[in-house]
């Protein structure tokens, strides 16, 4: 059996991708909302590979994100994550699988002026994942984000700043900050290319380096109400998962 002092940080680093952010495969949030009475369902799958000095891990993270427009500028989001992590080290293997911490968020676009808009997003997670297996924090967590979007023709840019209270029973840092920027471009009526770069505070109290990443991807509109997306996220520092493939589909109703 693998010792827990490094197995849990590896698992949690890979599972951190299940947090709900912007249009998949981006990590950076945008200010867009569904509109009153409109809904959206996102189904995502993320396959990550990470290695430490004496261990390696492959993880599959799945999430269903249901969004409902309470008002034209106000959305409510429900995120249900599920994960599997296979870890190998010291000649032994272990597998962890199960439900993660369910999240509920609200996003309010409070400012619009031509191509510029701003929004606040706030919410929390319930301790539904098994913390002893590294699938959850063991306590409820909370976060608040400030988001700015600027759209000009086929181009759009987004800025995302987040402060998260990572309450947990695992001995992790309880204050996590996030900052990222994204750029998107419509190259045809159906195809959008996307990229973002950003950082998170590492959850490991013994690690001073931030978790930094770069994401590249594309979103293709099969129909007006149905999108497919694909992306690749590269870890730029040791705390971040080395490499993650991102797949998703989005249905609007």
């Amino acid at each position: 059996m693998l010792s827990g002092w490094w197995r849990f940080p590896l698992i949690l680093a890979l599972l951190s991708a299940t947090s709900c952010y912007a249009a998949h495969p981006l990590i950076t949030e945008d200010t867009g909302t569904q509109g009153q009475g409109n809904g959206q369902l996102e189904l995502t799958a993320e396959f990550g590979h990470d290695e430490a000095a004496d261990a390696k891990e492959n993880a599959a993270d799945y999430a269903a994100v249901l969004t409902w427009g309470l008002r034209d500028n106000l959305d409510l989001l429900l995120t249900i994550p599920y994960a599997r992590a296979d870890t190998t080290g010291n000649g032994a293997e272990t597998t962890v699988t199960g439900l993660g911490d369910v999240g509920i968020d609200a996003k309010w676009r409070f400012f619009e002026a031509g191509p510029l808009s701003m929004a606040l997003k706030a919410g929390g997670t319930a301790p539904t994942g098994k913390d002893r297996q590294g699938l959850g924090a063991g306590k409820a967590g909370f976060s608040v984000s400030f988001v700015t979007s600027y759209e000009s023709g086929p181009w759009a840019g987004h800025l995302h700043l987040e402060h998260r209270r990572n309450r947990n029973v695992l001995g992790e840092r309880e204050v996590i900050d996030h900052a990222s920027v994204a750029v998107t471009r419509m190259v045809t009526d159906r195809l959008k290319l996307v990229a973002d770069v950003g950082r998170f505070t590492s959850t490991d109290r013994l690690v001073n380096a931030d978790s930094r990443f770069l994401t590249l991807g594309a979103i293709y509109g099969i129909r007006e109400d149905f999108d497919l997306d694909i992306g690749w996220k590269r870890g730029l520092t040791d705390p971040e998962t080395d490499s993650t493939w991102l797949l998703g589909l989005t249905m609007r109703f």
Side-chain angles (χ1 to χ4, degrees):
M1 187 71 176
L2 297 176
S3 59
W5 67 271
W6 59 265
R7 179 165 61 90
F8 286 162
L10 268 176
I11 293 172
L12 289 168
L14 287 167
L15 297 186
S16 65
T18 60
S19 300
C20 176
Y21 295 111
H24 202 262
L26 289 175
I27 306 300
T28 304
E29 184 62 81
D30 59 52
T31 62
T33 54
Q34 299 304 308
Q36 186 172 4
N38 297 324
Q40 175 179 280
L41 176 64
E42 291 179 281
L43 302 176
T44 65
E46 305 187 355
F47 304 97
H49 176 78
D50 204 19
E51 294 190 12
D54 57 351
K56 64 179 180 179
E57 187 164 51
N58 293 304
D61 301 305
Y62 307 97
V65 184
L66 179 63
T67 305
W68 184 254
L70 298 178
R71 299 178 61 182
D72 285 345
N73 63 343
L74 178 63
D75 281 353
L76 185 66
L77 301 90
L78 172 67
T79 303
I80 303 175
Y82 188 90
R84 174 189 172 98
D86 298 302
T87 307
T88 303
N90 299 325
E93 296 183 2
T94 185
T95 296
V96 173
T97 183
L99 181 70
D101 287 349
V102 172
I104 297 179
D105 297 272
K107 181 166 66 170
W108 172 45
R109 188 176 62 256
F110 64 88
F111 176 84
E112 292 181 83
L116 179 66
S117 57
M118 299 180 185
L120 291 174
K121 182 177 179 181
T125 55
T128 52
K130 295 180 179 179
D131 57 272
R132 293 185 179 182
Q133 295 183 8
L135 293 168
K139 292 183 179 181
F142 309 93
S143 66
V144 60
S145 297
F146 170 77
V147 184
T148 298
S149 294
Y150 187 90
E151 299 186 29
S152 179
W155 292 93
H158 311 284
L159 169 67
H160 179 185
L161 304 175
E162 180 185 48
H163 181 77
R164 184 187 307 170
R165 181 70 188 279
N166 181 42
R167 300 176 65 246
N168 66 92
V169 298
L170 306 171
E172 296 180 333
R173 281 195 179 98
E174 294 202 352
V175 176
I176 305 296
D177 292 317
H178 161 79
S180 63
V181 293
V183 176
T184 71
R185 176 175 169 80
M186 294 295 303
V187 294
T188 72
D189 290 341
R190 294 177 179 267
L191 179 62
K192 179 188 292 186
L193 301 182
V194 302
D196 68 358
V197 62
R199 57 162 291 276
F200 287 90
T201 307
S202 173
T203 57
D204 190 339
R205 295 180 183 272
L206 301 179
V207 175
N208 293 323
D210 292 334
S211 179
R212 298 177 182 267
F213 63 87
L214 168 68
T215 306
L216 302 173
I219 302 171
Y220 187 78
I222 302 296
R223 300 195 307 264
E224 184 178 352
D225 59 355
F226 185 76
D227 297 339
L228 295 177
D229 67 76
I230 185 171
W232 176 70
K233 186 175 71 165
R234 175 66 178 175
L236 303 179
T237 56
D238 286 341
E240 180 62 46
T241 302
D242 294 337
S243 180
T244 304
W245 286 101
L246 312 127
L247 301 171
L249 62 87
T250 301
M251 296 169 284
R252 289 174 288 275
F253 50 90

